[in-house]
Each structure stands twice: as structure tokens, then as C-alpha cells.
Amino acid sequence: MAAEAGPMSLVRRVRDLFADPAGDVVLAVLAVGLTQLWFLRCTDDWVYARLGFPLLVAVVPVLIALCRIEPMVAAMGLAAGAFGSLLIGNVNWVVVAGCCLALWWLPARCDWRTVLVTVAAVTGLPFLLGLVRLELVAVALPNVREAINGEGGALIAMSRGIAWERYERIYNLSWPWWFSALFLLVGAGSWLWWSLHSERGEVKPEWQRRQDLAAFLRRPDRALVLDTLLGSVMSALILLDLVRDVAKDSNWWTAPGWMPYAIAYSALTLVVRRRRPAIPVVVLGIAALLTYWQTWDSWSVLGALGLAVYSLAAGRLKFRWILVTAIGVLGALPLIARVVRYPQLTLVFPELDRQPFDFGTSGDGQLHNLAYEAVVDRKWPVSLSLLLLLPLSVGFLARLYRRNREASEREAALERAAAEQDAAQVVLTERSHIARDLHDVVAHAVNLMVIQAETGPDLVARGDQDVLAGFQRIGDAGRRALGELDRMLSALRDADGVPDPELTPQPGLAELRWLVADVAHDGLAVELSVQGETELAPTGHQLAAYRLVQEALTNVVRHAAATEVMVTLRVDAEELRVEISDNGHGFDPEAARAAGRHGLAGMRERVRIHHGTLAIDSVPGRGTTIAALIPLTAKVAR
């Protein structure tokens, strides 16, 4: 069983990997590697092409990583890359396979219009480009090898460029129709498949797919696979650059045959650029030094080194180790180039030791190894090391930006936590107030019951009717107290405070007229409209409505700068409605909520305790309306 569990576990891991967008990144890495093999196989075709065409074909397999996130971009880019490979040799079937994969995922992420347009473009674009293919071939391959003949027709030399037979073969190529038929078939089949299966992914608009892509790139658990893809792409670019240089008869003949490939694949050390950033800096620094001895034209190795230096500064390595590594490597490169001489260079480039010594043309009477001198004269300039300080500085800026952003995020998180804690404290304080109000309501009812009970002997002397009426009053008071207690029990359960010893009877709806009269003055007219029988509302509901009006009028006096306020109260058998409107300058409710306005939080809490709703309608410059609806029925109250 253990032997079977191993292969099954491996299969399960592989299946889980390719069920995730990270699996597409793995496929992209494999596609980049296979494209490198394609380049090496048809070296004679593309080395004399304009640089943009090989770069397009070398980089376009990266789009396979987007097949599940942005399939439309991936499909169209891969189709263009497939046609571009046709212009410099032959169609790269790896890119064609990637285009088919993107078309497969297209209906799972895009609507039918995007699917239709993309499939039509991928299918028809190569044929449209085929109309100008001959002109594009002439642009892609401008140099054709020609014989240079002297007098009498003697062959003197051959100009550099692609051979005529190779050029004619590429010139006569055409886009295979069955590739477009395959794209059309895959597009139609994928649409049918995803239409019939319920596991189809969520169809999202373009801006949401862009957000998904950004989130995918920022996820920490994707860093390793993304850096692997980055290292693969950089190695492909370096390999393309060095192979072109080798084919053009540069000094690479003095180096071992494996050295250009070792330099190209040194870019794979970028895989560890986040965890061990010093490793790619050192390795790529050595690769850049070896390359600079051979050619002046290598831009890709220097670019990879610049990226490694940036990663060193932008990473989380301690500052002193960053300076030691960067300054040590960048300072060592020109120093090594100046002190190395023949014994050391022949160890690195063994062909130099096999070259003959002669007196050369300098007339100094000394023996010279011209090949060695051509190599050793290419000293790594100090200015180039100084130039590489630029990505180091950019990395430091990125590091500083990240730290400031993390500090800002922590500060914002602390502010949110403080605001939430403050809001929670407001709720607890308000609940304590509500608990005190409940105490008053129940105490009032219990006092009434006690008074009625104490008058019992007198009522017995008066007669049965008075006794029954007294018991009825006691029962009514008890039922009211129990109703209030049942509705507001949650407040009592959450309250941690000690009961206030200075409790006094709380106001109700009848006291609103005095409240309005106290608030009104010469500059503020307050009008009160009461509809219905206020006695229908329980005492706790009356107190909540009173406190709501009280807080609203307090806010009007303090903040609104209003001249008119309308307080409307309506009571019926089902609900209690309260509305306060003013003509003040208003405010932004969301901003007030974020700022932790305690009065508004208290209003919401009081209304919520009675299972009601509170609406605040306010716009800066157009006044404020606060409306509350509190149900009175026993069904809602419970």
C-alpha cells in the first residue's frame, strides 16, 4: 500500500497543480524551454533576422501563463507569435499548442461576444497577415548572403547574411490552413463543452480579469513559479543574443563550446532572487564579465545582472549585506578585468594558448598573440559598474516604498481596529443606558403593582368590584413590565455595568412638547406634529422615540446651522414612526459612520433593540432627514 501511495500522491499533486492557474505558469516555463530548442535547431534561419522577430517568438510563450486568467490576450498574442515564427524559419508548434490551450479556457472566463471575436481573429488574422507575408519576410530577413567577386570573376569573400536557399525556402512558406482549422475547431469545441458543464468558471468583464491578474501576480505563494518563469525568459533572451553573436564570427571561438550555454542558463539563478539575492548577483556578474571579454554587443546578460542587482536592493536582506555584496561584485568586475593576464585567460579561454605568436604589425620587435590581445583589451569599464548602480538605487527606492506602504497598511489596520473598538464601546455604553432605562420602566411598573397590592385591604372593604379592578390594574402593570423585559433582555445580558443608584423616571412621548419648546429659539423654529394615540406605545418604545428626537435635535443645534426643524410622530396599533427633518447644511452619513459619530451609533442601537429600522438621508448642502420605524406588535417584539 505504501508503494502505491507514493505514485498516487505524486499524481494527485500534479493534478492539483494543473487545476490551478499556477499550472499554466509551469506550462509556460516548459514552452519557453522548448522554444529555445526550436531556436537552436534552426540557427541558420533566424540569426540574421531583425532582432524584433526572434524576440517576439522567444517571449510569446510567456502568455501561456495567462491562459486561465486572461485567455483572450493569450490566444491573440500566441497566434501572432506563431505567425512570427513562420517569418524566420517555420511555425513553432509549441506556440500553436499554447494558443489552443488559451482558446480552450476562453469560454470559461469570457462572454460569448468576446469568444466569437477572439476565435474569429485567431482564425483569420494569419490569413490576413499572409497577404503581406512577402513584405514581412523581406523586413524580417534583410540580409542575404552574396558572393563578392573580384576581377576575372574570382571569389574574394562572402557577405554575411542568410543563405539564398534558406531565404527562398522561407520566402515560399505559407500559413498552414489546418492550423487555423484547428483553432476554429478548438474554439467551437470548448464553447460547447463549457456550455454543457456546470463547472464553468465565472464569466467576468475585462477590468475584473485585470484585477485577477494583478492579484495572481501579488500572491506570495506564486513567487517561486513566477521567478522560475522570469529566469526561463531571461535565459532564452541571453541564449538568443549569444547564439546570434557566435554565428557572426565573434571571439567566441576562443571559449569552450559549452560556455555560451552556461552563461545563458546562469539566468536561472533568478529563481532564488527573493530568498538568496546574492547568488544571482555573483553568478550573473561572472557571466557578464566573461561575455564582455568576447563581445561589446551583449545587452541581455547586462540586463539580467541589472535585474539581479535590483532584486538584491529591493529584497529583505539587511542593508549592510546589500552594500557589501553590490559594491564587492560591481567593484571586483573592473578590478579583475585589469589584473587578469595571459596565464589566467588561457585557463578560461583555452584556444588562446593554441594561437601562434608573431611580431605583429606594431614594429616594437616583440612577439604578440593577437587573439589574446583582442580579448584582454576588452576591459570591463568602471563606468559600466557605475551604470549598474542605477538598478541598485531603484531597488532601494522600491524597498523604501514597500516599507512605507506596509507601515501605512499597519497604521490603517490599527486605526480600523481602534474605530471598531470605539464603536463597540459606544454600543456597550448605549446598552448600559438602555438597561438603565429598562430598570426605570420595570421599577415604575413594579412600584405601581406594590401600591395596588398595599391598597388591597381597603379594596376588600369597598366591595368585590373594586377588588377585581385592583387586581386588574396589578395584572396590567405586570404584563407591561414583562413585555418590556422580554423586548430588551438582550441589552441586559450584554451589560456589564453596575446599576445607577440615582435612577429617576424616564420621559415618554408626552414630554416631547417640552423638549421641543426647550430647543426652539428665535433663530430655530421647531414644529411638532403628533398623530395617533401615544398611549398605545409601551413605555420602553416611548423612551426610545424620545431619546431619538432628543439626539437628533441636539445634532441640529450643534452641527446643522438650520433655521427650521419638523418633528413628526405617528402611532398606530402596528408601529411607531418618528421623523425629524431640518433645512441645515447636511453631512455625509458614510463619512460620519467612519469617523465614529457616537450619537448616530446610539440612535441605531436604540432602534435595533426594539427590532426597528433607522434611515438617515442627508446630502451636504440639502439638509437632513432621520426616519425611524419601531414595530409595536407582540409578534415582532418577540
Side-chain angles (χ1 to χ4, degrees), residues 387-578:
L387 180 63
L388 288 171
L389 293 178
L390 178 61
L392 185 71
S393 303
V394 175
F396 280 130
L397 292 177
R399 182 191 186 99
L400 180 62
Y401 169 76
R402 185 184 66 248
R403 287 189 173 182
N404 291 339
R405 185 185 63 186
E406 291 175 352
S408 300
E409 290 175 352
R410 286 195 298 269
E411 183 178 355
L414 290 175
E415 290 178 355
R416 288 193 298 269
E420 292 173 358
Q421 185 177 5
D422 193 21
Q425 185 61 41
V426 171
V427 171
L428 291 176
T429 303
E430 192 62 29
R431 286 181 174 180
S432 298
H433 294 165
I434 294 173
R436 184 195 65 185
D437 297 341
L438 177 62
H439 182 277
D440 291 340
V441 173
V442 176
H444 177 73
V446 172
N447 285 333
L448 181 59
M449 294 167 62
V450 171
I451 293 172
Q452 294 293 336
E454 289 177 347
T455 60
D458 296 335
L459 296 177
V460 171
R462 295 179 185 177
D464 294 341
Q465 294 296 327
D466 290 338
V467 171
L468 293 176
F471 279 115
Q472 182 66 36
R473 287 191 292 272
I474 292 173
D476 292 340
R479 280 188 292 273
R480 285 196 299 272
L482 289 176
E484 294 293 337
L485 184 64
D486 183 52
R487 279 187 291 270
M488 305 179 71
L489 187 58
S490 60
L492 289 179
R493 286 173 179 165
D494 292 339
D496 297 326
V498 179
D500 189 349
E502 299 179 2
L503 296 173
T504 56
Q506 299 298 310
L509 299 180
E511 283 74 25
L512 283 177
R513 60 181 182 276
W514 289 298
L515 176 63
V516 169
D518 289 341
V519 173
H521 53 80
D522 292 338
L524 178 63
V526 184
E527 181 178 353
L528 174 65
S529 173
V530 179
Q531 305 171 13
E533 300 179 6
T534 57
E535 296 80 9
L536 294 176
T539 306
H541 291 65
Q542 293 192 37
L543 176 60
Y546 181 90
R547 297 298 189 203
L548 184 67
V549 175
Q550 184 182 44
E551 180 64 26
L553 292 179
T554 300
N555 290 338
V556 170
V557 173
R558 289 181 178 177
H559 309 295
T563 58
E564 296 179 2
V565 181
M566 180 66 187
V567 180
T568 303
L569 180 72
R570 190 179 72 189
V571 183
D572 55 32
E574 299 292 332
E575 60 189 16
L576 166 64
R577 288 182 175 270
V578 182

Side-chain angles (χ1 to χ4, degrees), residues 182-504:
L182 178 63
F183 293 159
L184 181 61
L185 181 62
V186 172
S190 63
W191 173 257
L192 181 62
W193 170 271
W194 291 112
S195 299
L196 296 178
H197 287 74
S198 59
E199 65 268 19
R200 178 182 182 181
E202 182 183 359
V203 175
K204 295 183 178 181
E206 183 177 353
W207 65 271
Q208 287 187 350
R209 298 199 299 273
R210 299 290 188 276
Q211 290 181 346
D212 290 346
L213 175 60
F216 175 79
L217 296 177
R218 286 195 299 264
R219 285 181 55 176
D221 58 337
R222 306 295 192 213
L224 182 59
V225 292
L226 292 176
D227 286 342
T228 303
L229 182 59
L230 175 63
S232 302
V233 172
M234 291 306 301
S235 68
L237 296 180
I238 297 174
L239 185 66
L240 183 148
D241 191 16
L242 297 186
V243 170
R244 283 170 59 96
D245 197 47
V246 170
K248 292 180 179 180
D249 299 329
S250 63
N251 285 334
W252 284 105
W253 62 269
T254 63
W258 53 264
M259 184 174 287
Y261 303 100
I263 292 174
Y265 291 113
S266 66
L268 294 178
T269 56
L270 291 171
V271 173
V272 297
R273 69 186 185 94
R274 300 175 196 262
R275 299 182 180 182
R276 299 289 186 271
I279 294 177
V281 172
V282 174
V283 173
L284 287 168
I286 297 173
L289 180 62
L290 295 175
T291 303
Y292 206 81
W293 267 321
Q294 295 297 324
T295 178
W296 301 94
D297 300 328
S298 179
W299 52 268
S300 54
V301 181
L302 296 179
L305 178 58
L307 180 58
V309 171
Y310 164 82
S311 302
L312 176 70
R316 300 185 182 275
L317 198 65
K318 292 184 178 180
F319 185 76
R320 62 177 180 271
W321 294 114
I322 295 175
L323 290 181
V324 168
T325 304
I327 295 176
V329 172
L330 298 182
L333 293 178
L335 180 62
I336 293 174
R338 288 185 180 276
V339 301
V340 72
R341 286 297 178 264
Y342 186 81
Q344 296 81 30
L345 272 184
T346 55
L347 294 176
V348 180
F349 306 115
E351 286 295 329
L352 293 177
D353 196 29
R354 302 186 182 98
Q355 300 306 307
F357 284 80
D358 55 38
F359 288 98
T361 58
S362 60
D364 57 5
Q366 296 181 2
L367 291 174
H368 293 272
N369 185 330
L370 299 180
Y372 159 73
E373 292 177 357
V375 172
V376 78
D377 284 345
R378 288 197 174 101
K379 294 180 175 62
W380 182 277
V382 176
S383 59
L384 193 55
S385 291
L386 295 177
L387 180 63
L388 288 171
L389 293 178
L390 178 61
L392 185 71
S393 303
V394 175
F396 280 130
L397 292 177
R399 182 191 186 99
L400 180 62
Y401 169 76
R402 185 184 66 248
R403 287 189 173 182
N404 291 339
R405 185 185 63 186
E406 291 175 352
S408 300
E409 290 175 352
R410 286 195 298 269
E411 183 178 355
L414 290 175
E415 290 178 355
R416 288 193 298 269
E420 292 173 358
Q421 185 177 5
D422 193 21
Q425 185 61 41
V426 171
V427 171
L428 291 176
T429 303
E430 192 62 29
R431 286 181 174 180
S432 298
H433 294 165
I434 294 173
R436 184 195 65 185
D437 297 341
L438 177 62
H439 182 277
D440 291 340
V441 173
V442 176
H444 177 73
V446 172
N447 285 333
L448 181 59
M449 294 167 62
V450 171
I451 293 172
Q452 294 293 336
E454 289 177 347
T455 60
D458 296 335
L459 296 177
V460 171
R462 295 179 185 177
D464 294 341
Q465 294 296 327
D466 290 338
V467 171
L468 293 176
F471 279 115
Q472 182 66 36
R473 287 191 292 272
I474 292 173
D476 292 340
R479 280 188 292 273
R480 285 196 299 272
L482 289 176
E484 294 293 337
L485 184 64
D486 183 52
R487 279 187 291 270
M488 305 179 71
L489 187 58
S490 60
L492 289 179
R493 286 173 179 165
D494 292 339
D496 297 326
V498 179
D500 189 349
E502 299 179 2
L503 296 173
T504 56

Side-chain angles (χ1 to χ4, degrees), residues 60 63 71-82 99 102-103 117-119 121-122 125:
V60 78
L63 295 178
M72 180 188 68
V73 174
M76 299 187 70
L78 289 165
C99 184
L103 290 174
V117 171
T118 304
V119 173
V122 169
L125 182 62

